[in-house]
Amino acid sequence: MTVLKLSAEDVVARDIVGRAFLHEQGQFVCRGYVADFTVEGDYWTLKVRDVEFLDKMAMAWRHDTDMDQYGGSLSTHCSFEEDTIDGIISLSGYGMVVHVAPACDNPWGEVDWPELDGYEGGPMEGGPLSKREKKKRRKQRR
């Protein structure tokens, strides 16, 4: 199996601060870096920095905000998972998902990010893997 269910404590233990993230909610897509991940009682909070949003008309990343945060209740509509092949941790709840990359020097070029719009050639296409390697990974995930 390639997907590992995580608890909030597991995510804290993985020390995701400083790693790149990619977020999608509805038509909004943004990326940046994790500033902090905390759990207090029944609530988790992911603070992020250096946030850029995807300008879909120009297919370019634009500065959005210096700091932002996402979060939710641990008891409702929340899941944390790690893709054991790619090392990407996905935090989701209430119709949104935040993908956190494994630690690396060039996350926008090295990481095989999930394609957000479901079509080839999207904003995260062009990672380190060839089309053949990506197809092979998709088969491994099944």
Side-chain angles (χ1 to χ4, degrees):
M1 184 172 185
T2 62
V3 174
L4 179 64
K5 297 280 185 191
L6 301 175
S7 68
E9 293 77 21
D10 293 333
V11 177
V12 170
R14 280 166 172 70
D15 190 24
I16 61 175
V17 173
R19 295 186 192 185
F21 80 90
L22 180 67
H23 169 257
E24 176 183 33
Q25 187 166 12
Q27 291 295 312
F28 184 73
V29 177
C30 68
R31 68 181 188 179
Y33 294 90
V34 175
D36 195 21
F37 180 81
T38 57
V39 178
E40 293 182 17
D42 183 46
Y43 201 82
W44 63 274
T45 303
L46 178 76
K47 294 182 181 176
V48 296
R49 63 177 172 81
D50 304 325
V51 180
E52 298 176 308
F53 75 96
L54 179 62
D55 179 342
K56 291 185 179 184
M57 295 297 288
M59 286 307 288
W61 295 97
R62 309 268 189 235
H63 176 76
D64 188 32
T65 185
D66 292 331
M67 298 291 289
D68 202 353
Q69 68 181 35
Y70 308 105
S73 170
L74 294 171
S75 61
T76 56
H77 308 291
C78 170
S79 71
F80 304 131
E81 299 176 342
E82 181 176 26
D83 185 322
T84 58
I85 293 174
D86 295 328
I88 293 175
I89 296 172
S90 298
L91 315 172
S92 63
Y94 299 108
M96 64 95 175
V97 64
V98 179
H99 301 289
V100 179
C104 62
D105 292 333
N106 179 13
W108 311 122
E110 294 176 33
V111 175
D112 184 26
W113 293 98
E115 184 49 58
L116 300 179
D117 61 10
Y119 300 100
E120 288 188 34
M124 300 313 294
E125 188 73 29
L129 301 178
S130 68
K131 285 185 180 182
R132 173 179 250 165
E133 290 170 317
K134 287 182 182 187
K135 187 175 182 179
K136 185 177 177 181
R137 282 192 178 198
R138 279 193 296 272
K139 285 183 180 179
Q140 287 176 329
R141 289 183 179 130
R142 291 180 189 159

